[in-house]
Amino acid sequence: MSHTHGRSRVPFSAGPFVVGFDLDQTLLDTRPAVAAALGRAAAELRVRVDVDAAVARLGPPLHELLAEQLPADEARRCAERYRRVYPAYGLPHARLLPGARQAVRAVHDSGGQAVVITGQSESTARHHLRHERLGIDVVAGGVWGVSKAEVLRARSADAYVGDHPADIQAAHSAGALGVAVTTGGHRAGDLAEADVVLSTLEMFPAWLTDAIDTARRVGR
């Protein structure tokens, strides 16, 4: 499934370009990893956490999700413990989503730079990317929602790929193309503001080729 929406500008310059990627549920299925590490952290601290409810809302920083269930101090302690146990108890459970490796390779093969901008802490994101050997050029962690636009602008990003409506808002706020994938908790209808909606990243290389060809035809 692929839908293109009505922004008319050419998405890429003819020269070097930058594509940003979200991490959770865009490049990686981290739900099993988050569940395992969060369950471990909660057990160690002896606090009651509805792990399934937190995992179902992945996107915002974990301490914000936990603050919906726990007092602020406990939420913060649980998030800190989660980060400490994640490499051992979470990381092994994460899996690349279909097409993720090919999408990053397509950016590099076309002469572009691939940047990850994620609400996960930078250290956790780097653990994942090293483990999967994705070859990401730049990692910015601890950035959520429209705040991602600041990183996109700083990197002069041409596009940002994510699974959440806030990812698309960040892309547009930075003047970048918003590319949505429906591999997270949001369906195509929820992502209607995106410039293009892909069912999986398996469709991304062909879309990227078309976008670059369009830019070259109009001489940008």
Side-chain angles (χ1 to χ4, degrees):
M1 176 181 64
S2 173
H3 303 302
T4 301
H5 300 297
R7 288 162 71 88
S8 59
R9 71 176 176 79
V10 176
F12 291 98
S13 63
F17 63 91
V18 176
V19 176
F21 291 92
D22 177 46
L23 187 62
D24 295 296
Q25 308 315 126
T26 298
L27 290 174
L28 290 174
D29 181 3
T30 54
R31 287 173 293 197
V34 173
L38 184 55
R40 176 72 183 191
E44 288 185 2
L45 295 175
R46 298 183 181 180
V47 296
R48 294 176 62 86
V49 173
D50 185 337
V51 172
D52 290 340
V55 170
R57 294 198 55 235
L58 279 184
L62 183 63
H63 70 270
E64 292 184 14
L65 296 179
L66 291 175
E68 298 173 0
Q69 302 186 34
L70 300 170
D73 286 347
E74 286 189 3
R76 185 172 56 255
R77 286 194 302 117
C78 193
E80 290 171 354
R81 175 64 69 178
Y82 162 89
R83 285 190 286 272
R84 284 197 288 270
V85 304
Y86 192 92
Y89 292 93
L91 186 65
H93 298 282
R95 296 291 181 268
L96 279 178
L97 283 164
R101 193 176 301 282
Q102 294 91 328
V104 174
R105 185 181 300 126
V107 172
H108 288 149
D109 287 350
S110 299
Q113 183 182 63
V115 177
V116 161
I117 308 169
T118 175
Q120 282 205 34
S121 71
E122 191 163 315
S123 61
T124 299
R126 289 185 182 280
H127 275 305
H128 276 301
L129 296 169
R130 281 196 298 268
H131 186 260
E132 299 295 345
R133 299 181 181 179
L134 273 182
I136 296 296
D137 299 293
V138 176
V139 180
V143 190
W144 158 244
V146 179
S147 295
K148 292 180 177 182
E150 298 176 17
V151 182
L152 291 167
R153 278 192 292 269
R155 293 288 167 183
S156 300
D158 294 271
Y160 185 61
V161 186
D163 67 290
H164 196 283
D167 294 328
I168 306 308
Q169 294 167 14
H172 290 170
S173 180
L177 199 69
V179 180
V181 287
T182 58
T183 46
H186 296 276
R187 303 297 92 198
D190 303 323
L191 299 163
E193 294 302 313
D195 300 286
V196 61
V197 180
L198 308 175
S199 56
T200 76
L201 284 178
E202 292 169 300
M203 305 176 72
F204 180 86
W207 172 82
L208 180 65
T209 297
D210 287 345
I212 293 171
D213 287 347
T214 298
R216 288 173 179 162
R217 280 199 303 273
V218 299
R220 288 193 64 184

